[in-house]
Amino acid sequence: MKTLQRGLSLALLFVIQTTFGATDIVTTIQMIRDGETMVSSDGAFELGFFGTGKSTNRYVGLWYRNIKVRRVVWVANREAPLTGPGGVLKVVEPGFLVLLNDTTGTAVWSSKKSRTVQNPIAQLLDSGNLVVRDANDDRPENFLWQSFDHPTDTRLPGMKLGRNYVTGIETYLTSWKSDDDPSPGDFITQLDPTGYPQVLLKKDTKIQFRLGPWNGFGFSGGPEERKDATYMLRLVMTEKEVYLLEESISTSVITVAVVNQSGYVQRWTWVSATQSWVMYANLPADSCDQYKLCGAYATCTTASPFCRCLDRFVPKDPEGWTRSDRSNGCIRRSNLSCQGDIFLKYSGIQLPDSRNSRYVKISTLEDCKAECLKDCSCMAYTQLDRSKGTGCLFWFEDLSDMKDRPKQGDDIYIRMSFSEEAETVANSKGRKTDITVATSLTSVVIIILISLSLFLYIRKRLNYQNLRRKGQHLGSSEKNSELPLFGLSVILRATDHFSIDNKLGEGGFGPVYKGILEHGQEIAVKRLSKDSMQGLDEFKNEIIFISKLRHRNLVRLLGGCIQGDENMLIYEYMPNKSLDMILFDQTKNMLLDWQKRFNIINGIARGLLYLHQDSQLQIIHRDLKTSNILLDSDMNPKISDFGMARCFQGTETEAKTRRVVGTYGYMPPEYAIDGLFSTKSDVFSFGVIVLEIVSGMRNRGFSHNADNLNLLGHAWTLYKEGRSLELVDPGLAEPYYFSEMRRTIHVGLLCAQKKPEDRPSMSTAVFMLINEGVLPEAKQPGFFTEREVTVTQRPSSTNAANATNEITITMLEGR
Ligand SMILES: *[C@@H]1O[C@H](CO)[C@@H](O)[C@H](O)[C@H]1NC(C)=O
């Protein structure tokens, strides 16, 4: 009975096939001869015999049937060619697909059989997968064999690249030997699940290039996905298998991934308009992609120098490093002590080689940290799939093969000695008392030394002012001043005699010019306007402060030029000018994506923290605003203009001035109204800047409907209604960053609260920005309607102090 049934169904299949021409199924009573083909039922794929180049070798391969430029995407007998045309492909019992040399009757290739079935057939599926199965069972898990488990150099959509722990099958790509020879070449591409999955390109067994690890969305630091991509990559991890799957979004687009004979992983897409295959991605893409080029704890940047130690790391072999031998990598500048170690965040990094990493399903960043802290050999952690928080990845050895990928990189938190903490989050809890005592003793000594040298310096300057009044020239002692002095002729040459073309803008006390020194260094020259008394004060102030300060988020003073009537300060040049010029410009603001903006916010915060705490002078800037934030070539922020800065000493925490200086829109109420200032005034200005950066709008001059709210008021209203994200500049709306955006807005509002005592210190603000955790509820910000500002701007009282307020403010507003 069974036999009859079987005979009938086979006959039926045969009838169907002969009626419709090409066949997608081969049974035990059929065969495919050289010259005949199998075609998938939708007509997309064709399987048949082909030859290469001049050789008479014949192979069985698979290609897209309707594409004129033939691309063989799979080869059955890549290692065992038929030497001539007499080949046949057939299915034999109990379940093999075999390729026979018809004249000799010998098999040159066969599919492996996993089990015995009654009625084996081979079928070419619409996905391009050639399968051997039982005629009555088309469930994929019951296939006897499938070509998708044995790819050659091409990955088709729907193919799993990875490992199946149950069957033991590993699926990977191997390049062809040459254009004419499909036999296995030197390069393989595989998904390596060791530690945490990443894609490796190997030459024999040596790793050439690494993509990943998988960060929950894509490969860390991998090439940017095209907006018009027609496929989606997915990483699947179960107890039984780990694989990477490419799913087509649009079936009308034909796209494949290939490893070529010279070791490149490429994506090729068929473009029907031009009737050609176009390469859309090619990896390795740049020299940084060379595996472990830079050694441990270094990152590779495509701009030279290629290898850079991470911040707070130094070359392990400094001599070798200067000889451009970077293989030894870098080490921490302060040793770890295990107890009390901290973690510092590094962003925009392609995560290190994950073969020594361990994945743990933990949902919050705080828990990742706590877990890593417990184990002294845990060197770093990162949170995968940040928005969903699906887990943490921990590294237990030196971190290697990292790259700077500002856009596609990830955050990694690296273990550091607690002594590195000072610059990031000072005065955080949990320090040992004796250390605190030691530190504060040192601080006292340093403060005394600095005050002493400041005193001497100011005295020298005052002497100089006296000399100047008497019309005398610069004494030789002046040349020994700590501030390097430039000759006037040098500056004139550099700025082309202050040519109008070189003018960059107006600074606090006069025009600013661009200049180029003889050896090519670019500088910015701030020239004190003659006969500006206030300008002279600010000029002095600036010298006093900035020559003492050094931080990567403060603009650097290179020197001064004081000759004849000229008083000038020379700074490093900032190619991207000031933040307001980019942020509030409709077209330029596209240069600032969310990551850049977040980086700018953090940079300003760190610069301020340094001024407030770490510089040991406790400086209040008093005129923070977007036009005083300069941007370097990488869009790193640098705080500038210390003309109005004030220094606090000893226990003083708040001061009162009768002369209110600053800029409306950035001034807190207690200062604008009562002239009270403290570090918390800067915190307020910082809060305003944060909201301006997030929204791309100015606090002053902001208008929204007719509700009379300024940006602060508007932000607060949205926040109260749980709609904070509506504040975000529409161009930035990337769901991936929503939680970071929400937190940033929240921190901005906390900083801009009405009462100074409610505002966080800068160290707390820095901490809140980079750490996830519950933030306190923000209270009403100071000056949240335009009307409020107007009222305080025109004081009704007629006393002298208030009159001064008005004049100063009016004068400064225009800047
Ligand atoms: C492989 O791809 C690279 C990069 O596009 C190319 O330079 C090289 O010639 C290709 N190799 C072969 C053998 O086609």
Side-chain angles (χ1 to χ4, degrees):
M1 186 63 195
K2 262 204 169 138
T3 329
L4 180 65
Q5 221 175 32
R6 184 176 151 206
L8 268 177
S9 60
L10 284 183
L12 196 64
L13 275 173
F14 187 71
V15 172
I16 293 169
Q17 283 155 15
T18 41
T19 321
F20 293 100
T23 168
D24 67 320
I25 289 179
V26 176
T27 65
T28 45
I29 57 166
Q30 291 165 291
M31 58 179 70
I32 304 285
R33 295 180 182 282
D34 196 341
E36 297 169 347
T37 62
M38 275 175 98
V39 176
S40 60
S41 69
D42 66 352
F45 287 98
E46 183 167 40
L47 181 98
F49 290 77
F50 72 98
T52 57
K54 292 199 189 89
S55 136
T56 57
N57 284 350
R58 301 295 287 170
Y59 300 91
V60 168
L62 181 74
W63 50 85
Y64 285 98
R65 176 163 161 264
N66 301 318
I67 287 178
K68 285 211 209 96
V69 185
R70 184 185 284 184
R71 172 180 282 278
V72 175
V73 296
W74 180 71
V75 184
N77 56 326
R78 67 188 306 193
E79 287 175 270
L82 290 152
T83 47
V88 293
L89 187 66
K90 58 199 284 188
V91 177
V92 297
E93 291 186 45
F96 294 108
L97 181 65
V98 290
L99 179 59
L100 299 170
N101 179 332
D102 210 18
T103 32
T104 62
T106 51
V108 298
W109 173 87
S110 96
S111 70
K112 284 169 194 67
K113 166 196 71 110
S114 50
R115 70 205 151 79
T116 303
V117 293
Q118 276 279 312
N119 195 359
I121 59 164
Q123 181 178 20
L124 179 57
L125 303 180
D126 292 347
S127 57
N129 192 6
L130 176 68
V131 306
V132 180
R133 63 176 177 90
D134 187 273
N136 301 315
D137 187 354
D138 60 3
R139 287 172 295 177
E141 63 272 25
N142 289 341
F143 291 165
L144 275 71
W145 176 91
Q146 56 178 335
S147 66
F148 270 18
D149 283 342
H150 310 276
T152 52
D153 66 342
T154 305
R155 189 184 70 207
L156 295 173
M159 186 186 273
K160 297 171 174 180
L161 198 69
R163 262 178 224 188
N164 184 320
Y165 297 118
V166 179
T167 61
I169 291 175
E170 185 188 354
T171 310
Y172 56 92
L173 306 180
T174 315
S175 65
W176 282 28
K177 195 155 244 158
S178 73
D179 277 344
D180 294 341
D181 184 357
S183 64
D186 294 336
F187 296 96
I188 70 157
T189 304
Q190 65 177 163
L191 183 80
D192 184 351
T194 319
Y196 198 71
Q198 48 189 356
V199 169
L200 299 180
L201 172 76
K202 290 180 179 171
K203 181 174 188 180
D204 302 320
T205 54
K206 203 164 167 263
I207 301 173
Q208 304 281 308
F209 163 68
R210 183 180 70 87
L211 182 62
W214 186 262
N215 65 14
F217 300 94
F219 287 106
S220 177
E224 220 173 336
E225 286 298 327
R226 294 168 58 96
K227 290 246 159 54
D228 58 350
T230 53
Y231 59 91
M232 226 178 67
L233 286 180
R234 206 148 61 84
L235 183 81
V236 178
M237 277 191 283
T238 67
E239 276 173 14
K240 290 181 186 160
E241 49 185 349
V242 177
Y243 59 86
L244 183 69
L245 181 68
E246 175 182 323
E247 292 170 314
S248 285
I249 298 169
S250 153
T251 45
S252 62
V253 177
I254 289 170
T255 177
V256 295
V258 175
V259 53
N260 91 352
Q261 301 126 38
S262 338
Y264 286 87
V265 185
Q266 306 173 331
R267 171 165 300 282
W268 290 90
T269 300
W270 174 254
V271 177
S272 48
T274 59
Q275 290 288 296
S276 58
W277 287 96
V278 175
M279 188 170 72
Y280 274 171
N282 190 27
L283 295 168
D286 56 46
S287 12
C288 282
D289 279 335
Q290 189 185 324
Y291 183 62
K292 287 193 179 176
L293 179 72
C294 291
Y297 296 112
T299 57
C300 185
T301 326
T302 36
S304 63
F306 278 116
C307 300
R308 204 167 46 78
C309 289
L310 287 173
D311 183 24
R312 293 150 211 234
F313 285 80
V314 291
K316 187 172 183 184
D317 165 19
E319 256 175 55
W321 195 265
T322 50
R323 283 196 316 269
S324 297
D325 174 7
R326 309 279 152 88
S327 53
N328 283 319
C330 309
I331 48 171
R332 287 176 181 79
R333 65 179 187 193
S334 335
N335 288 336
L336 294 178
S337 48
C338 185
Q339 285 294 314
D341 284 348
I342 56 158
F343 288 91
L344 292 185
K345 177 179 175 181
Y346 294 78
S347 298
I349 303 267
Q350 175 180 357
L351 295 173
D353 195 344
S354 57
R355 285 180 306 153
N356 294 313
S357 69
R358 196 176 73 211
Y359 170 77
V360 180
K361 222 169 158 73
I362 295 180
S363 54
T364 74
L365 196 60
E366 272 306 302
D367 293 342
C368 299
K369 178 177 171 180
E371 190 66 25
C372 196
L373 260 184
K374 280 187 212 156
D375 184 342
C376 293
S377 62
C378 178
M379 289 299 144
Y381 65 89
T382 191
Q383 188 178 27
L384 297 170
D385 205 349
R386 275 204 286 167
S387 66
K388 285 189 252 138
T390 53
C392 327
L393 201 55
F394 300 105
W395 278 266
F396 294 90
E397 281 185 17
D398 286 348
L399 308 179
S400 63
D401 201 38
M402 285 181 278
K403 286 147 215 170
D404 277 333
R405 299 284 187 223
K407 267 195 164 158
Q408 294 93 261
D410 290 281
D411 293 341
I412 182 166
Y413 299 79
I414 302 178
R415 190 182 205 105
M416 287 289 174
S417 153
F418 79 91
S419 62
E420 294 288 6
E421 190 173 18
E423 224 180 303
T424 343
V425 188
N427 298 339
S428 69
K429 300 146 264 162
R431 291 220 183 134
K432 291 205 181 101
T433 349
D434 49 350
I435 295 168
T436 319
V437 172
T439 322
S440 50
L441 270 181
T442 337
S443 321
V444 170
V445 174
I446 291 172
I447 290 174
I448 292 173
L449 282 177
I450 289 179
S451 318
L452 196 68
S453 58
L454 250 183
F455 170 66
L456 292 174
Y457 189 66
I458 295 168
R459 205 175 60 173
K460 211 189 275 177
R461 295 230 70 84
L462 289 178
N463 282 342
Y464 165 67
Q465 291 301 338
N466 291 336
L467 286 177
R468 204 170 82 133
R469 284 202 195 98
K470 288 180 207 147
Q472 290 182 5
H473 282 288
L474 208 61
S476 62
S477 67
E478 195 62 35
K479 297 208 172 85
N480 299 330
S481 141
E482 299 140 75
L483 187 68
L485 288 178
F486 288 75
L488 182 59
S489 58
V490 173
I491 300 302
L492 286 175
R493 225 176 301 132
T495 59
D496 197 10
H497 290 81
F498 298 111
S499 108
I500 191 78
D501 294 340
N502 282 330
K503 190 165 162 181
L504 294 170
E506 289 283 334
F509 47 75
V512 184
Y513 296 87
K514 184 187 171 176
I516 300 178
L517 295 177
E518 228 139 53
H519 52 275
Q521 186 181 4
E522 293 181 308
I523 52 171
V525 180
K526 224 186 224 184
R527 191 182 189 193
L528 171 65
S529 306
K530 289 163 198 162
D531 47 68
S532 153
M533 265 323 282
Q534 194 196 328
L536 188 62
D537 286 341
E538 288 181 18
F539 182 86
K540 282 190 272 178
N541 211 19
E542 176 111 9
I543 298 186
I544 291 167
F545 286 114
I546 200 150
S547 58
K548 297 287 171 200
L549 301 173
R550 193 148 289 185
H551 186 272
R552 65 171 180 258
N553 295 115
L554 300 185
V555 72
R556 230 184 101 206
L557 186 65
L558 301 174
C561 171
I562 302 168
Q563 215 165 325
D565 279 349
E566 293 286 356
N567 287 291
M568 286 177 280
L569 290 178
I570 291 105
Y571 302 85
E572 54 178 340
Y573 174 68
M574 290 292 136
N576 282 314
K577 315 247 165 60
S578 57
L579 177 58
D580 61 328
M581 291 168 86
I582 296 187
L583 188 61
F584 304 127
D585 182 296
Q586 289 305 322
T587 45
K588 285 194 196 143
N589 68 5
M590 287 185 300
L591 294 171
L592 297 177
D593 59 20
W594 172 252
Q595 278 165 295
K596 289 220 177 68
R597 292 191 198 200
F598 189 62
N599 177 48
I600 290 172
I601 289 170
N602 278 297
I604 301 171
R606 290 205 196 96
L608 261 186
L609 173 62
Y610 171 78
L611 288 181
H612 288 178
Q613 293 189 346
D614 300 337
S615 69
Q616 278 146 344
L617 277 176
Q618 200 170 54
I619 293 162
I620 300 169
H621 187 285
R622 295 208 302 169
D623 196 18
L624 272 181
K625 51 183 168 180
T626 48
S627 59
N628 281 342
I629 309 293
L630 306 182
L631 297 172
D632 73 5
S633 54
D634 293 328
M635 297 284 182
N636 292 311
K638 311 240 176 185
I639 300 173
S640 76
D641 215 330
F642 290 78
M644 298 180 190
R646 284 288 174 275
C647 177
F648 271 29
Q649 256 139 25
T651 54
E652 198 180 10
T653 56
E654 188 183 72
K656 196 170 161 77
T657 181
R658 308 187 84 206
R659 184 170 156 259
V660 171
V661 293
T663 306
Y664 256 116
Y666 294 97
M667 260 192 262
E670 77 276 7
Y671 181 52
I673 299 170
D674 300 321
L676 286 173
F677 66 88
S678 66
T679 49
K680 295 292 180 74
S681 340
D682 281 352
V683 173
F684 181 90
S685 313
F686 172 72
V688 175
I689 293 173
V690 167
L691 297 172
E692 290 186 325
I693 293 175
V694 172
S695 65
M697 291 181 285
R698 288 180 196 273
N699 187 29
R700 291 213 69 200
F702 170 86
S703 71
H704 180 75
N705 301 335
D707 54 10
N708 234 334
L709 294 177
N710 59 12
L711 179 63
L712 275 182
H714 180 58
W716 194 61
T717 313
L718 289 176
Y719 161 82
K720 292 290 276 185
E721 292 168 8
R723 296 154 57 201
S724 278
L725 286 177
E726 289 174 34
L727 187 72
V728 176
D729 199 339
L732 303 179
E734 257 193 85
Y736 182 64
Y737 297 113
F738 280 174
S739 73
E740 203 167 81
M741 290 171 178
R742 237 182 252 120
R743 195 172 66 241
T744 306
I745 294 171
H746 196 153
V747 174
L749 281 168
L750 287 171
C751 291
Q753 289 176 109
K754 189 169 185 172
K755 292 191 183 149
E757 62 270 25
D758 288 338
R759 294 173 210 148
S761 67
M762 278 322 293
S763 61
T764 311
V766 166
F767 186 81
M768 292 191 299
L769 279 169
I770 56 172
N771 288 286
E772 276 157 57
V774 182
L775 299 177
E777 185 82 1
K779 296 182 193 158
Q780 179 183 316
F783 290 142
F784 75 117
T785 69
E786 269 299 323
R787 203 172 324 117
E788 242 186 310
V789 178
T790 322
V791 169
T792 52
Q793 205 172 347
R794 309 206 182 289
S796 53
S797 133
T798 51
N799 75 44
N802 274 345
T804 327
N805 282 0
E806 194 173 348
I807 295 164
T808 318
I809 290 158
T810 322
M811 193 183 74
L812 292 163
E813 246 178 87
R815 287 174 34 194

